[in-house]
Amino acid sequence: MSRDSRYLESILHHDIPLTREMGLKVLDWHHGQLQLHLPLQANINHKSTMFGGSLYCGAVLAGWGWLHLQLREEGIEDGHIVIQEGQISYPLPVTRDATAICAAPEEKLWKRFLATYKRYGRARLVLATWIVNEGSEEKAVAFSGQYVLHR
């Protein structure tokens, strides 16, 4: 686990105690992509699949964590990140441990977001995240979230 991964995991577990109960772990952070691990057993429902609320949290947190680490790499640590809006779909059941993934948005959107924040102290960014069953690349969950960064 990288230093950045350990750092993000400690922030999540400290600032959002629910993440400890969910057993959420930071798997990987490289090439502008964040991967989080969600264990099935800690998030199981009555159908022996992963609880939709846990999946929603994992999807939101993948975007939140991605933004947190990317801003840190840019040297921006004075902002507060909140989720403003989110749309989610659950095309497949999650029947095993899962991986929540967030990849970088288009470069021009990122640059505009940074410029807006630096100028106005507030900016919005839409991030796409998705969740796969362990060992699969098929999207079991697709999420689009609008995150706000403000001073």
Side-chain angles (χ1 to χ4, degrees), residues 2 6 8 12 18 20 22 25 30 34 45-47 51 54 65 73-75 79 81-82 87 111 120 128-129 137 149:
S2 73
R6 277 195 301 275
L8 180 60
L12 288 169
L18 174 66
R20 289 195 305 265
M22 292 172 65
K25 301 271 181 231
H30 74 288
L34 176 65
N45 67 18
H46 63 291
K47 299 280 190 190
F51 172 57
S54 294
E73 285 190 3
E74 297 277 349
I81 303 165
V82 294
Q87 287 85 36
K111 294 294 182 205
Y120 300 106
T129 69
E137 290 186 22
L149 177 66

Side-chain angles (χ1 to χ4, degrees), residues 92 130-133 135-141:
L92 295 171
W130 62 95
I131 298 178
V132 297
N133 279 284
S136 173
E137 290 186 22
E138 259 190 300
K139 290 181 183 178
V141 174

Side-chain angles (χ1 to χ4, degrees), residues 43-64:
N43 298 286
I44 203 158
N45 67 18
H46 63 291
K47 299 280 190 190
S48 300
T49 61
M50 198 169 291
F51 172 57
S54 294
L55 292 167
Y56 187 88
C57 285
V60 168
L61 290 166
W64 189 94

Side-chain angles (χ1 to χ4, degrees), residues 28-36 58-67 99-105 126-131 147:
D28 202 14
W29 166 250
H30 74 288
H31 304 301
Q33 187 178 87
L34 176 65
Q35 295 187 5
L36 305 178
V60 168
L61 290 166
W64 189 94
W66 182 92
L67 189 49
T99 305
I101 302 162
C102 182
V126 173
L127 292 172
T129 69
W130 62 95
I131 298 178
Y147 296 83

